[in-house]
Amino acid sequence: MEGTIYFNSISWAIQAQKLLEGQGMPSTIRKISKIGPSGSCGYGLDLRGDTDAAMRLLEGAGIKYIHPDDL
Amino acid sequence: MIYFDNGATTFPKPRCVAQAVGSAFDRYGANPGRSGHAMSMDTAIKVFEVRDALASLFGAQNLQDVVFTLNCTHAVNMAVKGALRMGDHVIISDLEHNAVLRPVHALAQRGAITYSIAQTFPDHSETLASFARHITPSTRMIACTHASNVFGTVLPIEEIGKLCRERGLLFLVDAAQTAGVLDVKPRDWGIDFLCMAGHKGLYGPSGTGVLITALGSSMQTIIEGGTGSFSGSFDQPDEMPDRLESGTVNTMGILGLGAGVSFVREKTMRALYTHEMKLATEALAMLRDIPGIQLYTPGFGFGSHVPVISFNIAGKPSEETTAALSDKGFALRGGLHCAPLAHQKMGTLETGTARISFGAFNTIEQVVQLCGAINKLARG
């Protein structure tokens, strides 16, 4: 499975990447010029793994990401 | 030159710091994370790793609570001007560096806040009582140094933090002289704003400082600008650390700071402190035997002081002493050390003091040489 999780801040995106890599979910970070309807720039974490499981892991670790409902 | 001015900035830096800065110039020269290309991302990861290392060293709850600043003064200004509101009262100590005194005084001069100066004593319970006596219904913050940059005196910040928690006050600590030297636990000690220099006890390059705070999202900002996030918004983002890091950070400096932090962790703070305090204690013993030398810290010792000694040669202004020592190849600082309150307290406002501040790379041979030179100067 593949998917993208979005972040406002590079710092959170990198923290998420390191956490998920430790859980066997590799990913790459890319800069995104417009995220969702607000059109703010941010970062996308392109994930090779279960995105839902990844988001649960991030929530458990207190890592801030942009929830899909807010996109 | 034999360098004893580590209280101003540490020198030399460990080799690994220069190497880290060099690698930043060669390989991590992009704006960290702001652009989408590979070097920007690689640079962002290196900066992240330094942030993570600092969060780990100081026990920060989130690494996003770690903010890179230009120096400790910058960190203090961000905290003081970001956290205080109109009508607030602040308590500082009688040992404060201008890094704390001046922003507090400037806000008071503008009529925004008021402040009081608590006396400090060798007996920590008296110091605590002094702080407590100054608390009023308007008091919002205690802002104080962890250790005096002139006399090395360590304040009981763990107990002051407890007092702040009990009384619902914000607590700002100026750890310029203690970060990397003494253990500092902001979460355990109730420190809301831990301000430090990157270029002193953490052995990073000049142009680096750190603010650790869990309150960043609610602070007013003193600098707004590009953060590489929420770029479509005219408003400064709330999200940390971006909120308090506008503009391009000092990437080269930060990577060097990361190497300095690694050096401190590898050597351990305990070993570094023990080494430097042994040198300071030996220096004091030698200075005591020199006629005409004035010393100012009778209770100097492990735990109660950091490795900083002030002295004067009777009848000689401190800057004349340090200039003469500079001619002989010794780097010391003379004068008021940007800490007029401390000198006012000790009665050295007219002469200032000559300061010996020790670092990781000082040796006992250097101390013997220095004291020999001071001896010759004192005897005329």
Side-chain angles (χ1 to χ4, degrees):
Chain A
M1 274 174 70
E2 287 186 0
T4 301
I5 302 175
Y6 298 95
F7 300 83
N8 288 310
S9 164
I10 184 68
S11 195
W12 288 113
I14 295 172
Q15 192 172 0
Q17 183 181 53
K18 289 190 181 284
L19 173 73
L20 295 174
E21 263 171 15
Q23 299 294 320
M25 283 190 250
S27 61
T28 51
I29 300 174
R30 59 188 164 94
K31 185 82 193 269
I32 298 182
S33 54
K34 278 186 185 177
I35 299 177
S38 69
S40 277
C41 67
Y43 303 86
L45 190 71
D46 295 327
L47 195 63
R48 288 178 282 290
D50 182 340
T51 312
D52 288 336
M55 285 192 286
R56 283 195 295 275
L57 280 168
L58 298 185
E59 276 163 25
I63 293 175
K64 287 185 184 172
Y65 65 95
I66 302 173
H67 199 274
D69 294 344
D70 297 327
L71 288 173
Chain B
M1 172 143 278
I2 297 177
Y3 189 84
F4 282 107
D5 196 20
N6 293 281
T9 197
T10 44
F11 179 86
K13 302 296 182 190
R15 190 87 203 105
C16 58
V17 171
Q19 286 167 344
V21 174
S23 80
F25 273 101
D26 289 339
R27 292 160 56 194
Y28 303 109
N31 200 317
R34 301 289 172 97
S35 310
H37 53 76
M39 196 199 292
S40 178
M41 291 301 158
D42 287 346
T43 306
I45 288 171
K46 297 302 280 185
V47 170
F48 173 92
E49 287 169 355
V50 180
R51 203 185 300 274
D52 194 20
L54 285 160
S56 174
L57 184 65
F58 293 100
Q61 186 154 7
N62 295 305
L63 64 89
Q64 281 77 7
D65 294 345
V66 175
V67 177
F68 294 115
T69 63
L70 299 172
N71 46 45
C72 188
T73 297
H74 182 203
V76 172
N77 271 267
M78 286 169 74
V80 165
K81 292 168 182 170
L84 294 175
R85 305 283 182 261
M86 186 70 82
D88 283 346
H89 173 252
V90 179
I91 307 168
I92 66 174
S93 84
D94 60 6
L95 291 172
E96 294 312 317
H97 188 280
N98 280 337
V100 171
L101 172 61
R102 280 185 175 174
V104 167
H105 183 71
L107 287 177
Q109 289 288 94
R110 290 174 213 160
I113 66 165
T114 55
Y115 71 97
S116 302
I117 302 172
Q119 271 191 286
T120 58
F121 300 89
D123 184 332
H124 286 178
S125 62
E126 287 189 60
T127 298
L128 265 176
S130 175
F131 274 98
R133 268 196 302 275
H134 284 283
I135 295 174
T136 74
S138 307
T139 305
R140 185 128 185 281
M141 178 190 278
I142 290 178
C144 70
T145 185
H146 188 180
S148 168
N149 68 309
V150 185
F151 302 106
T153 320
V154 174
L155 291 190
I157 61 162
E158 195 177 342
E159 289 88 341
I160 296 171
K162 194 168 167 229
L163 174 68
C164 287
R165 278 200 301 275
E166 285 167 1
R167 307 295 284 267
L169 306 177
L170 295 171
F171 188 29
L172 181 157
V173 172
D174 171 2
Q177 298 296 323
T178 57
V181 178
L182 296 177
D183 208 8
V184 187
K185 299 175 184 170
R187 274 210 295 167
D188 292 347
W189 296 353
I191 300 172
D192 298 294
F193 306 101
L194 180 63
C195 307
M196 63 191 96
H199 61 95
K200 297 183 201 255
L202 293 174
Y203 291 87
S206 51
T208 60
V210 179
L211 166 64
I212 298 181
T213 179
L215 303 178
S217 293
S218 60
M219 283 166 66
Q220 287 177 14
T221 48
I222 60 171
I223 300 175
E224 297 82 30
T227 57
S229 56
F230 302 92
S231 295
S233 171
F234 287 12
D235 295 321
Q236 188 76 357
D238 291 338
E239 205 163 286
M240 287 285 283
D242 300 27
R243 181 172 180 77
L244 300 182
E245 285 182 2
S246 297
T248 302
V249 292
N250 177 7
T251 310
M252 316 301 178
I254 289 166
L255 267 55
L257 173 58
V261 170
S262 296
F263 168 81
V264 168
R265 294 193 89 146
E266 188 193 312
K267 296 289 180 196
T268 77
M269 273 191 273
R270 186 167 189 80
L272 290 168
Y273 177 66
T274 301
H275 165 73
E276 293 163 28
M277 283 299 288
K278 275 186 184 166
L279 297 180
T281 306
E282 288 286 344
L284 265 176
M286 285 187 249
L287 290 173
R288 277 192 197 105
D289 288 340
I290 302 172
I293 291 292
Q294 292 162 324
L295 296 169
Y296 301 96
T297 42
F300 187 89
F302 280 75
S304 62
H305 291 79
V306 290
V308 169
I309 299 170
S310 268
F311 73 95
N312 270 312
I313 297 175
K316 223 188 245 304
S318 60
E319 275 128 330
E320 206 176 292
T321 299
T322 53
L325 287 168
S326 177
D327 289 343
K328 294 182 185 313
F330 298 97
L332 278 70
R333 183 174 172 184
L336 296 182
H337 312 282
C338 300
L341 287 177
H343 287 285
Q344 199 172 304
K345 178 186 181 68
M346 291 296 198
T348 49
L349 211 46
E350 289 298 314
T351 57
T353 58
R355 181 185 72 180
I356 313 171
S357 46
F358 300 82
F361 298 101
N362 287 127
T363 65
I364 188 64
E365 291 78 19
Q366 291 174 338
V367 171
V368 170
Q369 284 181 58
L370 172 65
C371 292
I374 294 170
N375 192 8
K376 279 192 186 141
L377 266 179
R379 290 177 195 273

